[in-house]
């Protein structure tokens, strides 16, 4: 296994998608973890390519209905579980674990958005139990990826079996408002008679893991850094209000808000905050396996002989924490990715501009296909938290630190949960109108 530490060599590795492949390795490890048969085999001709094509339903124009659905489902969970019976009424302070809060809200809202709702109800029963099983399985996930047989991990196997049963076809057919992405996968898997119902259900369970296993900790870190930096929180909160005001929306906490995909795209400080939190918390490995002997050219002068089955690894955390690329890399700066009122994309090392400077979602053929949806989910969650709640960290806590035991698998979890306080805010329309008027005055000055 060879680690490539020079970020200027990354483009050479990434562009050799045919010789340096990820999919065969994934097709070996994913079935061990999730319990479905390998996809790239003679019994399922064309299935792998069709699965890859289905991910297009998470991108482009298909992102708009997903974003709208997620906004509605987040409002549903927030309103029923955390806002009280009536919006716009100042509530008492509540205390809780920040990671637990993010996990419970994002898990259920994402589930409803992707898989849909049960018959005759707006929310699935037993969602708390399902999330507990998910967490038990996810705790053992590093061992499964390391090829420890699941029969030796009895709790993980029991939890996986229960979650797979949740996605059996006869159950999913009763759900409504299912995303086009899942509808397409249901149709696709039904075309293969060699797949049992339990195999199809395992595929859907794998999508659940892919949808929340990294998004939840990413949401936590973005929220934690905002709440622990009140000045950044106020900048982002004002940016959200300004976007609403410029759209002619007079926000008040006694009404539900629906931020559009276009509005989310304009939240530059929020996106910079999320990118900065991803930089500080992501520790993924981009693994490639050589499919043939070939000469890999690294630059204009250097090349290296690669043998078939050689494993090449990119470890982007090394560039994320490089002080030559990022000044004071251990520090959180909410505006690190903004320059002159625009997104900053120019980062340098040794006086040369980097093509790849932020890589929390992988690269090339292994880049997360749901990355745009994930970023929008996090934006939506944070928008609602900042619009509808006052937020504080509880006193007497040490700074949150990352647990490196999952290094290589994506976003790192905190070593322990963070205690915080929250209460519903009261913001009336005239307050936002004043804000908009003040902003317009400042712009004219």
């Amino acid at each position: 296994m060879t680690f490539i530490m020079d970020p200027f060599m990354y483009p050479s590795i990434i562009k050799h998608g045919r010789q340096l492949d990820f999919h065969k390795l994934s097709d070996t490890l994913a079935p061990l973890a999730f319990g479905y048969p390998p996809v790239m085999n003679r019994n399922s001709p064309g299935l792998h390519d069709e699965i890859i094509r289905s991910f297009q339903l998470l991108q482009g124009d298909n992102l708009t209905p997903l974003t709208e659905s997620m906004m509605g489902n987040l409002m549903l969970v927030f309103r029923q579980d955390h806002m009280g019976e009536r919006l716009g009424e100042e509530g008492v302070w509540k205390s809780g674990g920040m990671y637990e809060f993010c996990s419970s809200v994002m898990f259920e809202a994402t589930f409803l958005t992707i898989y849909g709702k049960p018959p005759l109800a707006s929310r699935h029963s037993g969602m708390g139990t399902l999330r507990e099983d998910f967490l038990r399985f996810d705790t053992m996930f590093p061992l499964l990826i390391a090829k420890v047989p699941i029969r030796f991990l009895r709790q993980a196997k029991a939890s996986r079996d229960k979650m797979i049963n949740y996605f059996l076809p006869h159950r999913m057919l009763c759900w409504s408002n299912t995303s086009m992405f899942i509808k397409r996968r249901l149709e696709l898997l039904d075309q293969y008679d060699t797949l049992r119902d339990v195999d199809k259900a395992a595929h859907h369970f794998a999508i659940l893991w892919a949808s929340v296993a990294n998004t939840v900790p990413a949401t936590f870190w973005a929220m934690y850094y905002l709440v622990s930096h009140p000045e950044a929180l106020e900048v982002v909160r004002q940016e959200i209000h300004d976007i609403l005001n410029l759209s002619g929306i007079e926000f008040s906490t006694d009404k539900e808000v629906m931020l559009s995909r276009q509005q989310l795209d304009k939240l530059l400080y929020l996106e910079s905050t999320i990118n900065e939190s991803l930089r500080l918390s992501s520790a993924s490995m981009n693994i490639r396996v050589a499919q043939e002997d070939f000469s890999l050219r690294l630059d204009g002068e250097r090349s290296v002989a690669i043998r078939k089955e050689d494993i090449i690894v990119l470890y982007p955390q090394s560039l994320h924490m490089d002080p030559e690329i990022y000044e004071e890399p251990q520090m959180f700066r909410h505006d690190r990715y903004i320059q002159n009122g625009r997104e900053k994309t120019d980062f340098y090392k040794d006086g040369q501009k980097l093509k790849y400077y932020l890589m929390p979602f992988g690269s090339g053929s292994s880049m997360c296909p749901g990355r745009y949806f994930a970023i929008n989910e996090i934006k939506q969650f944070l928008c609602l938290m900042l619009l509808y709640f006052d937020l504080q960290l509880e006193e007497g806590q040490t700074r949150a630190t990352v647990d490196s035991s999952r290094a290589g698998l994506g976003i790192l979890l905190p070593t322990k949960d963070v205690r915080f306080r929250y209460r519903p805010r009261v913001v009336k329309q005239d307050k936002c109108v004043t804000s908009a008027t003040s902003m317009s005055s400042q712009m004219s000055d």
Side-chain angles (χ1 to χ4, degrees):
M1 183 177 289
T2 302
F3 283 81
I4 306 298
M5 304 303 295
D6 184 350
F8 291 109
M9 294 183 182
Y10 283 14
S12 297
I13 304 297
I14 293 169
K15 73 179 182 181
H16 282 83
R18 184 177 65 83
Q19 292 98 339
L20 296 173
D21 182 67
F22 169 77
H23 294 298
K24 289 185 179 179
L25 176 64
S26 175
D27 196 46
T28 299
L29 298 179
L32 295 176
F34 300 112
Y36 56 73
V39 173
M40 301 172 70
N41 62 55
R42 290 178 294 178
N43 292 328
S44 306
L47 179 57
H48 174 263
D49 292 340
E50 289 295 332
I51 285 177
I52 296 298
R53 276 192 281 271
S54 73
F55 288 120
Q56 296 174 4
L57 295 172
L58 297 174
Q59 303 175 5
D61 291 341
N62 298 294
L63 194 57
T64 298
L66 279 171
T67 301
E68 293 173 353
S69 177
M70 184 68 184
M71 198 75 197
N73 288 320
L74 280 170
M75 279 300 311
L76 172 70
V77 175
F78 274 129
R79 184 166 189 173
Q80 293 190 4
D81 292 355
H82 301 290
M83 291 181 180
E85 294 184 1
R86 295 181 61 184
L87 294 175
E89 290 188 348
E90 186 174 64
V92 298
W93 286 103
K94 295 181 180 180
S95 296
M98 186 177 290
Y99 189 90
E100 170 65 19
F101 184 97
C102 294
S103 176
S104 64
V105 173
M106 290 294 284
F107 185 91
E108 182 171 4
T110 302
F111 190 101
L112 290 169
T113 299
I114 295 177
Y115 298 102
K117 299 181 179 182
L120 306 177
S122 59
R123 301 172 71 175
H124 291 266
S125 62
M127 191 56 57
T129 301
L130 185 69
R131 186 167 64 90
E132 290 173 3
D133 283 317
F134 179 91
L135 294 174
R136 278 191 288 268
F137 170 84
D138 188 53
T139 300
M140 296 293 106
F141 188 78
L143 296 178
L144 294 171
I145 291 298
K147 297 186 178 180
V148 174
I150 197 169
R151 65 179 180 274
F152 297 137
L153 307 170
R154 289 195 293 179
Q155 278 197 340
K157 185 178 186 307
S159 293
R160 188 180 77 174
D161 289 345
K162 284 192 283 185
M163 285 186 289
I164 288 175
N165 286 335
Y166 205 91
F167 292 101
L168 289 171
H170 72 273
R171 294 191 60 148
M172 294 186 68
L173 289 174
C174 297
W175 299 345
S176 60
N177 300 106
T178 304
S179 68
M180 290 302 298
F181 172 61
I182 293 298
K183 286 181 179 179
R184 174 57 189 147
R185 292 176 73 89
L186 283 165
E187 296 170 354
L188 175 60
L189 296 172
D190 277 345
Q191 295 174 12
Y192 291 86
D193 296 335
T194 54
L195 293 177
R196 302 169 300 165
D197 282 354
V198 69
D199 299 328
K200 299 172 186 176
H203 273 278
H204 297 303
F205 159 56
I207 291 297
L208 175 65
W209 185 89
S211 299
V212 297
N214 282 305
T215 305
V216 166
T219 303
F220 161 81
W221 285 114
M223 180 175 171
Y224 169 75
Y225 284 120
L226 277 177
V227 179
S228 60
H229 294 79
E231 72 288 351
L233 186 149
E234 289 306 321
V235 167
V236 174
R237 177 179 278 158
Q238 187 59 51
E239 178 184 50
I240 299 167
H241 278 293
D242 291 345
I243 288 295
L244 290 173
N245 289 328
L246 288 172
S247 302
I249 300 173
E250 298 176 359
F251 173 76
S252 63
T253 49
D254 59 355
K255 295 182 180 179
E256 293 190 2
V257 65
M258 294 292 289
L259 283 154
S260 69
R261 180 183 163 194
Q262 290 72 26
Q263 289 170 319
L264 294 174
D265 289 342
K266 294 177 182 178
L267 295 169
L268 295 182
Y269 282 95
L270 179 56
E271 182 148 350
S272 178
T273 294
I274 294 170
N275 284 337
E276 177 72 340
S277 64
L278 290 172
R279 181 186 69 81
L280 289 166
S281 63
S282 63
S284 59
M285 289 195 301
N286 297 194
I287 302 175
R288 300 290 186 271
V289 181
Q291 303 303 301
E292 58 188 52
D293 296 341
F294 74 103
S295 179
L296 174 63
R297 182 163 295 282
L298 300 176
D299 54 35
E301 300 177 355
R302 295 178 297 170
S303 63
V304 61
I306 302 294
R307 300 164 300 182
K308 184 177 181 180
E309 304 300 330
D310 278 353
I311 299 175
I312 308 296
V313 181
L314 309 182
Y315 191 54
Q317 190 186 49
S318 62
L319 73 87
H320 293 166
M321 305 305 292
D322 187 336
E324 291 187 59
I325 303 171
Y326 293 103
E327 184 181 1
E328 295 184 305
Q330 300 289 345
M331 299 294 292
F332 168 80
R333 295 183 179 179
H334 73 280
D335 58 353
R336 196 185 289 272
Y337 295 93
I338 294 177
Q339 188 173 40
N340 299 323
R342 296 183 178 182
E343 179 185 5
K344 180 181 179 181
T345 59
D346 295 343
F347 290 87
Y348 296 84
K349 183 178 174 67
D350 298 331
Q352 299 181 62
K353 184 178 177 180
L354 289 165
K355 182 174 182 179
Y356 298 100
Y357 56 88
L358 182 64
M359 301 172 62
F361 293 106
S363 60
S365 61
S366 64
M367 185 173 287
C368 173
R371 59 193 180 278
Y372 304 113
F373 176 55
I375 290 293
N376 274 359
E377 285 185 290
I378 300 171
K379 284 183 177 180
Q380 290 170 310
F381 174 91
L382 293 174
C383 283
L384 294 182
M385 289 300 299
L386 269 58
L387 287 171
Y388 286 98
F389 295 97
D390 291 318
L391 304 165
Q392 296 177 356
L393 293 181
E394 290 192 356
E395 297 181 356
Q397 299 183 94
T398 58
R399 177 184 173 187
T401 56
V402 295
D403 178 357
S404 297
S405 63
R406 293 172 68 94
L409 295 177
I411 308 300
L412 300 176
L413 276 62
T415 51
K416 63 179 182 179
D417 207 347
V418 173
R419 301 293 300 178
F420 82 116
R421 305 169 67 213
Y422 62 100
R423 68 179 179 187
R425 302 175 71 218
V426 175
V427 177
K428 298 303 181 183
Q429 287 187 2
D430 57 348
K431 182 176 180 179
C432 286
V433 172
T434 301
S435 173
T437 304
S438 174
M439 182 187 66
S440 298
S441 175
Q442 293 172 11
M443 291 174 67
S444 63
D445 292 342

